[in-house]
Amino acid sequence: MPELPEVETIRRDLKDKILNLQIKEILILDNRSLKGESVKKFKEDLEGSRFIDIERRGKLLIFKLSKKDKFLLVHLKMTGQLIYKNKKQIIAGGHSEKKDDFNLPNNHTRVIFKFSKDKELYFNDLRIFGYLKIVNEKQKDNIVDNNFGFEPLGADFTLENFKQILKNRKISIKALLLNQKLIAGIGNIYADETLFLSGVRPARRVDTLKEEEIKKLFLSIKKILKQAIEKRGTTFNNYVDSSGNKGNFIKYLKVYGRQGQKCKKCGSEIKKIKHAGRGTHYCPDCQK
DNA sequence: CTTCTTGTTACTGA
DNA sequence: ATCAGTAACAAGAA
């Protein structure tokens, strides 16, 4: 579920919470989340080090370590969560109590980072599709270069470049939006929402798109992602931010998950089909 | 019991 | 080479 806006929300929040704290200990509750990496090496690389920056490419989080030439990659895939907990939260003047709103660790906790000052970060992942991986800079650059296309909110994602991506392709626009190697970070929810805002049906082949539609799509991608970041992402099922709170964008969804309900724009019934292997939602009247 | 589920990749066959 | 469809990864919910 976490797509670009959710991952970006986590990135921004975590930067404020865990940057430059010493990692005292790593607890690995389920080594399947390391996807075959050596548990021993993983702990050695992290313990005693600090995160000095957190970046994002598409849906991938990149933690830069104080240890030379080491990066931690975290992909949440469908059900991964990164939740921060400050066990000893002391509030100045404080009679204030920390709300104990989530029990951690829980059944889905796979890795725990223990920092100085009793601060902790929990990696939870119900389905264990997500992963944590330590790489050097060259490996990181290779992974990013080979698997991640334009950053949709980046300055180099221009209308011209978008047109270049569309050129000579015969795939549907939805399949294109979901292809991380072309544009990185859009998943099922924001693909459907982008297409609704653009008035374009998901199954439209990109070589049939008119100039006006391409322009609209380009602007809609940026607009939807920016709005979703402002609302701290969408919680449909599993997603929570690094404080354990839900995202607010669900209130603004126009088509995703609204099959059988009335289109907010024209009143027609929102349809759900399977397209490009995914549940796909659209308004048959607003989208052509 | 069956079917479906947010991400991604590998594979098949056209 | 391109593209669509499906299974697989694993664990649920409905």
Side-chain angles (χ1 to χ4, degrees):
Chain A
M1 175 179 237
E3 305 178 27
L4 188 152
E6 291 78 30
V7 177
E8 177 64 12
T9 299
I10 291 169
R11 185 191 75 83
R12 291 180 185 180
D13 289 357
L14 281 185
K15 271 191 85 160
D16 289 337
K17 290 170 174 166
I18 61 167
L19 228 50
N20 295 314
L21 296 176
Q22 190 179 36
I23 302 165
K24 294 284 191 192
E25 194 186 4
I26 302 287
L27 298 179
I28 295 158
L29 281 57
D30 193 324
N31 59 20
R32 289 176 296 177
S33 290
L34 306 188
K35 299 293 171 198
E37 234 192 314
S38 149
V39 170
K40 190 168 163 242
K41 185 117 196 328
F42 187 83
K43 282 169 71 85
E44 277 172 11
D45 280 336
L46 287 171
E47 287 173 355
S49 190
R50 293 170 286 116
F51 296 128
I52 57 172
D53 198 8
I54 310 175
E55 295 168 13
R56 179 191 55 73
R57 273 297 267 124
K59 303 166 193 167
L60 182 71
L61 283 166
I62 304 170
F63 295 76
K64 186 175 168 61
L65 284 160
S66 56
K67 192 177 274 188
K68 195 173 178 301
D69 202 28
K70 295 281 183 194
F71 296 82
L72 170 68
L73 306 183
V74 178
H75 202 304
L76 302 172
K77 290 286 180 86
M78 298 213 273
T79 57
Q81 303 174 327
L82 282 171
I83 302 178
Y84 168 86
K85 185 167 162 184
N86 187 353
K87 280 207 291 191
K88 267 193 199 155
Q89 187 148 67
I90 296 157
I91 291 160
H95 312 288
S96 182
E97 284 170 41
K98 167 79 179 156
K99 61 177 170 151
D100 198 0
D101 47 2
F102 40 82
N103 291 324
L104 289 171
N106 63 29
N107 284 344
H108 304 130
T109 300
R110 312 302 179 190
V111 179
I112 305 173
F113 297 74
K114 295 199 167 194
F115 297 97
S116 50
K117 299 176 193 167
D118 274 322
K119 294 173 180 183
E120 297 175 332
L121 183 66
Y122 290 76
F123 175 74
N124 298 338
D125 190 10
L126 186 149
R127 290 175 73 179
I128 319 188
F129 287 170
Y131 64 81
L132 295 84
K133 190 182 178 68
I134 306 274
V135 294
N136 63 33
E137 184 151 28
K138 198 180 163 201
Q139 291 169 317
K140 177 202 66 153
D141 289 342
N142 276 339
I143 289 169
V144 168
D145 293 345
N146 293 328
N147 299 290
F148 295 84
F150 285 105
E151 202 52 50
L153 297 179
D156 63 343
F157 184 58
T158 59
L159 180 59
E160 276 317 302
N161 283 331
F162 183 50
K163 285 180 184 169
Q164 202 58 40
I165 291 172
L166 298 174
K167 209 170 179 178
N168 295 328
R169 285 182 203 277
K170 297 180 174 69
I171 54 176
S172 72
I173 181 63
K174 172 141 180 182
L176 183 137
L177 292 175
L178 290 175
N179 187 336
Q180 305 298 303
K181 292 182 183 179
L182 301 177
I183 304 168
I186 301 172
N188 207 30
I189 295 174
Y190 299 112
D192 283 1
E193 294 300 313
T194 295
L195 287 163
F196 176 82
L197 186 59
S198 309
V200 173
R201 289 211 188 184
R204 277 282 295 285
R205 272 174 48 151
V206 299
D207 56 351
T208 69
L209 293 171
K210 300 187 191 93
E211 177 78 18
E212 267 315 296
E213 293 175 319
I214 293 172
K215 216 175 274 179
K216 223 156 190 192
L217 280 160
F218 173 75
L219 294 173
S220 299
I221 291 168
K222 301 210 181 224
K223 193 169 173 186
I224 290 285
L225 293 176
K226 274 186 200 162
Q227 281 179 353
I229 291 172
E230 261 173 51
K231 303 298 175 190
R232 303 182 58 78
T234 304
T235 296
F236 200 78
N237 283 332
N238 184 260
Y239 169 74
V240 290
D241 67 19
S242 65
S243 306
N245 296 321
K246 295 177 175 181
N248 302 309
F249 197 69
I250 190 164
K251 284 183 276 194
Y252 303 88
L253 296 179
K254 301 284 203 303
V255 287
Y256 186 87
R258 296 195 68 251
Q259 63 273 19
Q261 299 177 45
K262 285 185 174 174
C263 173
K264 293 182 176 183
K265 198 170 151 194
C266 77
S268 298
E269 188 182 317
I270 301 296
K271 296 288 179 205
K272 181 177 181 184
I273 58 169
K274 189 162 179 171
H275 178 79
R278 323 303 298 269
T280 296
H281 314 72
Y282 70 101
C283 172
D285 285 325
C286 292
Q287 292 171 260
K288 306 293 180 192

